[in-house]
Amino acid sequence: MARVTGAVPDWLTEARRICVLTGAGVSTDSGIPDYRGPNGMWTRDPDAEKLVTLSCYLTDPDIRRRSWLMRRDLRLADPQPNAAHAALVDLERQGRLRALVTQNIDGLHQRAGSSAGSVLEIHGTVHHVVCVACGDRTSMTSALDRIEAGEPDPRCLQCGGILKSATVYFGQELDERVVGACTAAAADCDVLLAVGTSLQVWPAAGLVEIAAASGARLVIVNAEPTPYDDLADLVVREPIGTALPRLVAPC
Ligand SMILES: [Zn+2]
């Protein structure tokens, strides 16, 4: 039975293996636009979706040029972690975090202080760049430095192949090892806490089902309804930046 929160229930305060799943809603307070929300990047400009669609990116130099400029603009904005990121750092320090699965590519969980070992980035990270031909992995900073120096479409320095951000594009497979770790965490948690995600994109939705089937409680913190609200033990519609610190506060 879904309901909007009042007091934090004891089973949540007493949970010891919380698997957190975060989506774009966690980073909007940091000034990073979401994609599919009412003011989302793709809602306002459907063409922008091409910038992160693998087939378009690989075949169209102009898409690559625009994609690099988008990465540059996002870096210039220099987004900072917010209260929601800090609350999840605190949850880890309490020893109650089983895993922090994120759909976000912004690296703000680690920047806030979440340990690299606890964060599972199912859609990759914008802080690295990979060569689609040889797999060579380098920093986004070095690629953007080349953009600034006048290369609109920098190529791999090892093999000359096309470079792209180390994020999962449309039409691209997820990293099996990351998905496996997420699945294991979802099956081994006492609470699955989904924050700022519409739970409409696989594998996020699948993780909710795995956790529920394994007997975990389900908490959903999201401004909009999700397909799993009826399955949830607690549904919170309040702003994430104020709700999350309260929900994960120690007893
Ligand atoms: Zn290469």
Side-chain angles (χ1 to χ4, degrees):
M1 172 67 81
R3 63 185 173 84
V4 173
T5 187
V8 177
D10 288 344
W11 53 260
L12 179 51
T13 307
E14 292 162 5
R16 289 294 173 268
R17 296 192 323 282
I18 300 177
C19 180
V20 180
L21 171 60
T22 65
V26 166
S27 288
T28 47
D29 279 353
S30 296
I32 296 174
D34 66 4
Y35 300 108
R36 295 187 173 84
N39 292 307
M41 220 183 289
W42 299 336
T43 310
R44 286 179 293 135
D45 177 14
D47 198 44
E49 204 162 333
K50 288 182 186 171
L51 303 183
V52 290
T53 299
L54 191 63
S55 57
C56 301
Y57 188 87
L58 294 180
T59 55
D60 187 343
D62 188 54
I63 291 289
R64 292 199 292 278
R65 184 185 61 78
R66 288 171 55 197
S67 181
W68 288 118
L69 294 178
M70 172 187 74
R71 303 294 178 203
R72 181 198 63 180
D73 291 347
L74 288 174
R75 182 174 73 162
L76 287 174
D78 193 24
Q80 301 293 318
N82 62 56
H85 299 102
L88 296 176
V89 174
D90 187 48
L91 183 67
E92 183 177 2
R93 289 184 181 150
Q94 293 171 37
R96 301 202 293 140
L97 180 69
R98 172 60 179 80
L100 174 43
V101 180
T102 185
Q103 297 173 279
N104 299 337
I105 57 176
D106 52 43
L108 288 180
H109 287 302
Q110 295 94 322
R111 186 158 174 185
S114 289
S115 67
S118 72
V119 181
L120 298 168
E121 296 174 303
I122 47 180
H123 292 155
T125 175
V126 79
H127 292 287
H128 286 95
V129 163
V130 289
C131 169
V132 299
C134 75
D136 188 47
R137 192 174 171 100
T138 48
S139 75
M140 176 61 78
T141 298
S142 63
L144 292 181
D145 285 347
R146 292 171 66 190
I147 307 288
E148 294 294 346
E151 288 184 72
D153 179 21
R155 293 305 184 104
C156 174
L157 295 173
Q158 303 300 321
C159 77
I162 291 174
L163 294 180
K164 66 179 280 297
S165 70
T167 54
V168 178
Y169 281 27
F170 290 113
Q172 194 179 358
E173 300 283 323
L174 299 172
D175 185 323
E176 278 179 27
R177 287 166 304 174
V178 177
V179 172
C182 294
T183 303
D188 179 47
C189 64
D190 49 12
V191 169
L192 188 124
L193 173 56
V195 191
T197 166
S198 58
L199 297 176
Q200 289 172 2
V201 180
W202 194 89
L207 295 178
V208 169
E209 293 179 6
I210 289 167
S214 304
R217 301 264 196 173
L218 174 61
V219 181
I220 294 174
V221 187
N222 199 51
E224 308 291 328
T226 82
Y228 293 95
D229 288 0
D230 287 342
L231 187 66
D233 296 280
L234 180 63
V235 176
V236 178
R237 297 258 179 264
E238 295 161 66
I240 293 168
T242 50
L244 194 58
R246 195 162 58 82
L247 290 171
V248 302
C251 19

